[in-house]
Amino acid sequence: MNIILDFFKFIFLRKKYWLFPTVFILIIFGGLLVLTQGTAVAPFIYTLF
């Protein structure tokens, strides 16, 4: 958890606000991969890419 707090401190101190959407999209894709691993939904996700 300390890494996450340090990351947010870095964003606010350096005013790198463009990192928020990037991190948000990476979290969504990571969660999508975890949730659909080994399920019947996987072939439909592959058609998106």
Side-chain angles (χ1 to χ4, degrees):
M1 291 303 289
N2 199 14
I3 292 173
I4 296 170
L5 292 176
D6 286 340
F7 180 70
F8 283 117
K9 286 179 189 176
F10 170 78
I11 287 176
F12 286 116
L13 289 176
R14 303 285 185 201
K15 294 183 170 62
K16 304 281 185 186
Y17 299 120
W18 58 270
L19 286 173
F20 279 124
T22 307
V23 171
F24 183 69
I25 289 172
L26 286 174
I27 289 172
I28 288 175
F29 280 134
L32 188 64
L33 286 172
V34 169
L35 290 175
T36 61
Q37 185 176 4
T39 64
V41 182
F44 298 110
I45 293 173
Y46 291 127
T47 60
L48 294 175
F49 301 106

